[in-house]
Amino acid sequence: MWKKITIVIAIIACIGAISLLILKGIVKPSLDESVKIEEQYEDFIVHIRIEKTEEGFQVLRSIEYIGKEDIMVRHRTPLTQVTINADNAVFTGSPISKQMEPGLQYHPQEPLKFPSLDKGVHKVYVHTQFFIEEKRIDIKTKSEIKFN
């Protein structure tokens, strides 16, 4: 009798362990909460929003001009580079010129899409680079995102 009970308990434990492993493999970690990052440099504010998607997460990027006069900026693609766990921004595209008016919020790129990351805290590096006349402007900041 005890032998049968022990075998049934062992079988139930095995089924439970296998189910747990399968469930753990199916459920991907997801972004804990949306993150907003703002970094101001002189008359410019870089806006970043990181939000959860079905496939992982996306990063929305824009730059706002709060100066008093119109100016012309030149930038390569992307204007704002966002990297995860490595500070290695690359700006490779052809130069683009943009007339910036006071209060303009400029969204030159589509959202960046990323797959889910491993559970835990990850560093986000943001680097915006552009030119006003011949002066290069680099706006850098970093933050963290958490996956559960």
Side-chain angles (χ1 to χ4, degrees):
M1 179 71 170
W2 288 105
K3 193 174 185 180
K4 288 181 182 180
I5 293 175
T6 305
I7 291 173
V8 170
I9 291 174
I11 291 172
I12 291 173
C14 287
I15 292 172
I18 291 170
S19 298
L20 186 62
L21 288 174
I22 291 171
L23 185 61
K24 188 176 181 181
I26 293 173
V27 177
K28 295 179 183 177
S30 65
L31 186 64
D32 190 31
E33 60 184 33
S34 294
V35 176
K36 283 186 175 182
I37 304 168
E38 291 186 347
E39 185 69 25
Q40 183 170 351
Y41 175 80
E42 295 180 359
D43 291 337
F44 297 92
I45 303 172
V46 175
H47 299 278
I48 304 294
R49 180 171 171 81
I50 303 170
E51 54 191 27
K52 184 182 348 182
T53 63
E54 288 184 19
E55 300 80 31
F57 65 103
Q58 70 179 1
V59 180
L60 307 168
R61 306 160 285 172
S62 69
I63 187 166
E64 181 179 5
Y65 175 59
I66 57 174
K68 301 206 183 305
E69 299 176 6
D70 291 3
I71 62 167
M72 180 68 70
V73 299
R74 284 183 309 110
H75 67 86
R76 293 178 288 168
T77 305
L79 169 62
T80 300
Q81 179 69 49
V82 177
T83 56
I84 309 297
N85 294 326
D87 189 6
N88 59 352
V90 177
F91 303 93
T92 58
S94 300
I96 297 170
S97 295
K98 176 68 176 173
Q99 181 74 27
M100 302 287 281
E101 302 167 359
L104 177 72
Q105 195 155 4
Y106 180 39
H107 305 265
Q109 297 110 9
E110 295 295 318
L112 284 173
K113 308 262 186 202
F114 291 93
S116 288
L117 300 175
D118 294 335
K119 275 187 173 184
V121 176
H122 299 272
K123 294 240 186 259
V124 176
Y125 297 91
V126 179
H127 185 171
T128 300
Q129 184 182 87
F130 57 93
F131 297 84
I132 300 175
E133 294 176 3
E134 295 304 314
K135 181 182 176 190
R136 186 172 99 181
I137 309 292
D138 287 286
I139 305 172
K140 293 183 176 185
T141 189
K142 62 183 170 181
S143 186
E144 293 182 339
I145 55 175
K146 183 177 179 184
F147 279 77
N148 288 327

